[in-house]
Amino acid sequence: GDLETLKKEAALRAVALVESGMRVGLGTGSTAKYAIEELGRRLAAGELRDIVGVATSEASEALAREVGVPVQPLDPRPLDLAIDGADEIDPDLNLIKGLGGALLREKLTEVQARRLVIIADHTKLVTRLGEKAPLPVEITRFGFLSTVERLRALVPGGRLRQPGAQPYVTDNGNYIYDAQLPAAFEPLELERQLKGTLGVVETGFFLGMADVAFVATPEGVREIRR
Ligand code: DER
């Protein structure tokens, strides 16, 4: 089926893992949207009860409220499960995320999940991170021109998202630099260098975080475990 059908199939598989009483991280993006909608449907049908959602963006919080998923702010308690999309998924389930601009709240939320379940269509599969997507890097607005120069020195070829008078602003009031990744790099090392760059808040590398990915292909949904 078309990509939207595939995204929804992956989402249904992830939501099938949700049990009554769970605290669930609600991802952001066009795939996670289907998961939030399905959670609402299952609650309305009485198939699930006592679910608490923790949203990873203003948009996902609004959607959760709209479909009847109760939401609470992130607090230090662990989440039983988090469900989210990805921009790239490599064979070790290392991810690039952030094309939807939600990477900071997603990482802050999903690091507290006992299980991080990724949902995607097959176009997100890569053999190596960087093949298809830039690496989003959230940077402070203050001094962003200097931070962009520091990042250009580290990963040449990137650009501020939506450059011009009104750059893209995240839910957290920050900007995003979309970095073009080099042909060969060591993700953990590059993550360390980026995080050590003054003005960088967070990167879209989600390394070693995902436990399982449901990837919908025209031949069916693949379940990939780390
Ligand atoms: O921006 C994000 O982190 C989203 O989760 C993104 O990685 C996936 O969005 P999509 O499901 O709309 O492709």
Side-chain angles (χ1 to χ4, degrees), residues 7 27-33 56 84-88 96-104 106 110 119-121 123-124 136 161 204 206:
K7 288 172 170 181
T28 295
S30 61
T31 311
K33 174 176 73 74
T56 58
D84 202 354
D87 300 303
E88 288 191 351
I96 285 183
K97 286 174 56 51
L99 243 53
L103 65 102
L104 178 58
E106 289 173 338
E110 290 159 17
I119 53 177
D121 61 78
T123 66
K124 307 301 184 61
R161 187 173 295 186
F206 282 53

Side-chain angles (χ1 to χ4, degrees), residues 45-202:
E47 294 170 21
L48 278 175
R49 295 175 42 249
D50 306 321
I51 295 294
V52 170
V54 176
T56 58
S57 64
E58 299 295 331
S60 289
E61 178 170 346
L63 176 62
R65 292 189 192 288
E66 185 188 317
V67 300
V69 176
V71 288
Q72 284 182 7
L74 181 65
D75 65 36
R77 285 176 292 170
L79 301 172
D80 298 289
L81 193 71
I83 302 172
D84 202 354
D87 300 303
E88 288 191 351
I89 306 169
D90 84 0
D92 301 318
L93 286 192
N94 290 316
L95 317 172
I96 285 183
K97 286 174 56 51
L99 243 53
L103 65 102
L104 178 58
R105 295 191 183 187
E106 289 173 338
K107 200 180 275 191
L108 285 164
T109 304
E110 290 159 17
V111 76
Q112 293 187 203
R114 290 200 176 92
R115 272 189 298 170
L116 174 55
V117 180
I118 298 300
I119 53 177
D121 61 78
H122 59 90
T123 66
K124 307 301 184 61
L125 292 175
V126 295
T127 52
R128 193 184 43 72
L129 293 181
E131 274 174 18
K132 296 178 176 175
L135 174 73
V137 180
E138 184 150 344
I139 63 175
T140 60
R141 191 188 304 204
F142 182 84
F144 78 94
L145 288 172
S146 308
T147 305
V148 165
E149 288 312 306
R150 290 185 200 103
L151 285 168
R152 281 229 172 88
L154 187 56
V155 277
R159 58 193 281 275
L160 190 68
R161 187 173 295 186
Q162 209 172 286
Q166 310 279 333
Y168 176 87
V169 182
T170 67
D171 284 348
N172 319 298
N174 298 319
Y175 287 159
I176 288 190
Y177 178 84
D178 289 309
Q180 292 307 317
L181 293 173
F185 64 94
E186 212 301 298
L188 274 173
E189 175 55 27
L190 183 52
E191 163 83 338
R192 259 180 12 84
Q193 291 176 319
L194 288 165
K195 290 296 291 285
T197 301
L198 183 60
V200 168
V201 179
E202 193 46 72

